Amino acid sequence: MAGLTQAENELLTRTGPGTPMGNLFREYWIPAMLSERLPAPDCAPIAIMLLGERLVAFRDTQGRVGVLDEYCPHRRASLVYGRNEEGGLRCVYHAWKFDVAGRVIDIPSELPNSRLAQSIAPIGYPAREAGGIVWTYLGNKAEAPPFPDFLFTQLPANRVLGWHYHQECNYLQGMEADLDIGHPGFLHAAAVNPLLDPTRRAMGTDRRPRAYMREETFGFQTVWGWKTEDPAKSLFWVDPFVVPFHTIVPAGRTQMRWIWHAWVPIDDHSHWLYYVHYDSEIDPDAEEKQRLEQAFGHDLIDPANDYRSRGNQANLHLLDRERQKHENFTGIRGVAAQDIAITQSMGAIVDRSREHLTSGDILVIQLRNYLLKTVREHMAGKPAPGQDGSFSYPDIDSRMQIVPSTMSLPEILDHPEWKWGDITEKSPA
Ligand code: FES
Ligand SMILES: [Fe+2]
């Protein structure tokens, strides 16, 4: 079965201003960067690009964050050169000054009674911080949409460990890897075993997992099922996709239980991949942080190179041929590093009209169908999904459990008492 037509591929992968997918993404609050990039009041402003738009972010004297158009409305100088001083960012060309909302608050060349500053349209976008992330809304509605208050955005900071990667390929390639049930048993083989609960070995022994998808008001819910070494028991996980580009992956019992992901387009050839590990009960210590860094490859992130991984296409993502022979399937250390290597290896925007899909690609196909349907409906004037108040973000279910093999995937999803479970064994009530 072929993947997408070239026209469908274009439709899903282009997210700049005025594109259908770009218009859809601009209906939502989206992550702009980790808060750590603006470490203190009046620190250096940061150049960022989101959905193909050049922006500047800064933290003012009171600690508030502003996300502004990069270019000064006077004569279009870049505000990345600006001076961050006393409650605003000042352009260094002729010293116009902007507050966090992007309002002009000072034009030194004008007389004190000038009304010029008030007459200039603000250049800022709504911005707020939650879960260690700066979020922004790039749409044009007067009122910002509901905020995606995922559980991790409400937890104490010590129960959340977040990283982000500047990935050099289209956002959809990264996101597809997350719903690819066919790959963990190969790409991540061996690397996952020592790090997680031994029951996860099922992923390596059953290379033909089952999958089920059901549309929900927040996006869609998926259940993945693997046979274990005991034929009476199966391992499954519940792994939601949340509009427009988030998933919540269950990480097992022996570490922080959940990983929240986002794939945020920088432009059409690169995106931010977020990895936020969290748990409502566990306070990770320094050792746990180090373990996650090693296991996922987060220690390879280079903040000095705009948070790109030190593994890249030129060095084959640090592939070690000895490790490939003796330790794991890829020869690459780290689960995230393996996904990143392989999604970048496909080129900046993969030509999906040249694919040959199999049963293991079932959830990738369903993700594409969901996105195509959603963007086409949005083009026809239907409201963007996930904003009708019909669900609560912290309640979106994600879990990994062992259950009797006789249970069907929909039964598992709907079991009234199993929400928010861990990997412990369950039997039907
Ligand atoms: S271009 Fe910014 S103040 Fe003139
Ligand atoms: Fe993966």
Side-chain angles (χ1 to χ4, degrees):
M1 177 181 166
L4 297 177
T5 65
Q6 285 188 349
E8 289 169 333
N9 205 31
E10 284 290 298
L11 182 59
L12 290 189
T13 54
R14 303 294 172 180
T15 62
T19 60
M21 210 62 194
N23 291 342
L24 179 64
F25 287 171
R26 283 169 176 79
E27 296 276 10
Y28 299 89
W29 282 94
I30 62 173
M33 64 169 99
L34 291 184
S35 289
E36 70 178 39
R37 301 193 67 187
L38 295 171
D42 293 333
C43 61
I46 300 271
I48 52 172
M49 184 184 270
L50 293 171
L51 307 179
E53 290 184 47
R54 295 178 69 113
L55 305 164
V56 60
F58 72 105
R59 192 181 293 282
D60 76 359
T61 312
Q62 288 179 51
R64 299 173 305 183
V65 170
V67 174
L68 316 186
D69 183 14
E70 181 182 333
Y71 299 104
C72 176
H74 175 219
R75 297 226 333 261
R76 313 284 299 160
S78 169
L79 293 172
V80 175
Y81 294 84
R83 298 171 62 88
N84 190 5
E85 54 178 36
E86 291 152 41
L89 186 63
R90 198 183 279 285
C91 180
V92 290
Y93 202 178
H94 316 92
W96 288 28
K97 185 174 177 180
F98 304 86
D99 68 7
V100 283
R103 289 180 291 245
V104 183
I105 51 172
D106 186 27
I107 302 182
S109 62
E110 295 300 290
L111 293 169
N113 60 355
S114 162
R115 305 280 305 158
L116 180 62
Q118 292 92 311
S119 73
I120 309 278
I123 58 167
Y125 294 97
R128 57 190 278 187
E129 291 183 280
I133 291 172
V134 176
W135 302 71
T136 189
Y137 165 63
L138 297 183
N140 53 18
K141 297 216 165 74
E143 199 162 323
F147 186 76
D149 53 349
F150 288 100
L151 179 64
F152 79 91
T153 68
Q154 304 185 2
L155 294 175
N158 60 341
R159 293 192 173 158
V160 180
L161 287 172
W163 286 270
H164 64 2
Y165 291 83
H166 183 146
Q167 263 251 65
E168 289 176 327
C169 67
N170 184 260
Y171 83 96
L172 186 58
Q173 253 154 269
M175 196 157 86
E176 285 178 345
D178 210 63
L179 286 165
D180 180 348
I181 61 163
H183 89 286
F186 299 102
L187 184 76
H188 303 310
V192 294
N193 292 343
L195 112 97
L196 298 163
D197 194 287
T199 43
R200 270 188 86 161
R201 274 203 301 271
M203 285 180 201
T205 47
D206 179 3
R207 260 75 183 268
R208 291 190 192 86
R210 297 173 295 154
Y212 170 72
M213 177 270 208
R214 184 171 72 200
E215 211 172 305
E216 307 280 352
T217 50
F218 59 74
F220 58 84
Q221 191 54 281
T222 71
V223 192
W224 311 21
W226 290 266
K227 297 186 198 88
T228 66
E229 289 147 6
D230 175 354
K233 291 173 190 166
S234 289
L235 168 74
F236 75 91
W237 70 11
V238 172
D239 184 345
F241 170 82
V242 184
V243 283
F245 41 46
H246 312 287
T247 63
I248 304 171
V249 181
R253 181 176 52 185
T254 56
Q255 56 178 163
M256 299 174 89
R257 270 177 293 174
W258 299 291
I259 307 168
W260 170 87
H261 289 302
W263 291 266
V264 189
I266 296 171
D267 56 20
D268 293 340
H269 298 111
S270 57
H271 68 275
W272 288 107
L273 161 61
Y274 285 79
Y275 249 89
V276 175
H277 302 258
Y278 62 102
D279 196 290
S280 47
E281 287 158 22
I282 294 168
D283 294 330
D285 50 20
E287 210 174 296
E288 170 72 350
K289 184 171 182 218
Q290 211 177 25
R291 206 158 66 90
L292 291 176
E293 283 176 337
Q294 281 287 315
F296 286 89
H298 301 330
D299 55 327
L300 297 173
I301 295 172
D302 183 3
N305 190 18
D306 201 29
Y307 291 79
R308 289 176 179 84
S309 173
R310 291 185 180 86
N312 55 47
Q313 297 220 63
N315 60 26
L316 283 188
H317 289 265
L318 308 173
L319 191 164
D320 175 335
R321 296 291 176 187
E322 281 307 300
R323 187 187 284 132
Q324 192 172 40
K325 272 202 182 101
H326 305 294
E327 274 180 49
N328 67 20
F329 199 69
T330 54
I332 294 167
R333 175 179 62 80
V335 177
Q338 292 158 3
D339 285 323
I340 287 168
I342 225 60
T343 48
Q344 291 189 6
S345 78
M346 300 153 92
I349 302 183
V350 64
D351 180 353
R352 293 175 175 79
S353 71
R354 300 181 66 185
E355 297 173 333
H356 299 83
L357 302 181
T358 74
S359 58
D361 299 308
I362 178 71
L363 291 181
V364 173
I365 296 167
Q366 287 174 330
L367 168 69
R368 294 173 183 179
N369 289 344
Y370 176 84
L371 293 176
L372 283 169
K373 177 178 76 95
T374 303
V375 71
R376 285 175 178 143
E377 286 176 352
H378 189 248
M379 288 163 81
K382 201 172 162 192
Q387 302 189 334
D388 61 2
S390 61
F391 67 94
S392 136
Y393 280 93
D395 282 343
I396 298 173
D397 190 16
S398 167
R399 60 190 139 101
M400 181 186 294
Q401 283 158 342
I402 305 277
V403 300
S405 296
T406 48
M407 286 189 76
S408 73
L409 298 179
E411 273 180 298
I412 288 160
L413 187 55
D414 290 329
H415 195 284
E417 286 155 29
W418 293 359
K419 281 190 81 176
W420 292 114
D422 55 25
I423 201 166
T424 46
E425 209 168 311
K426 304 285 177 190
S427 52

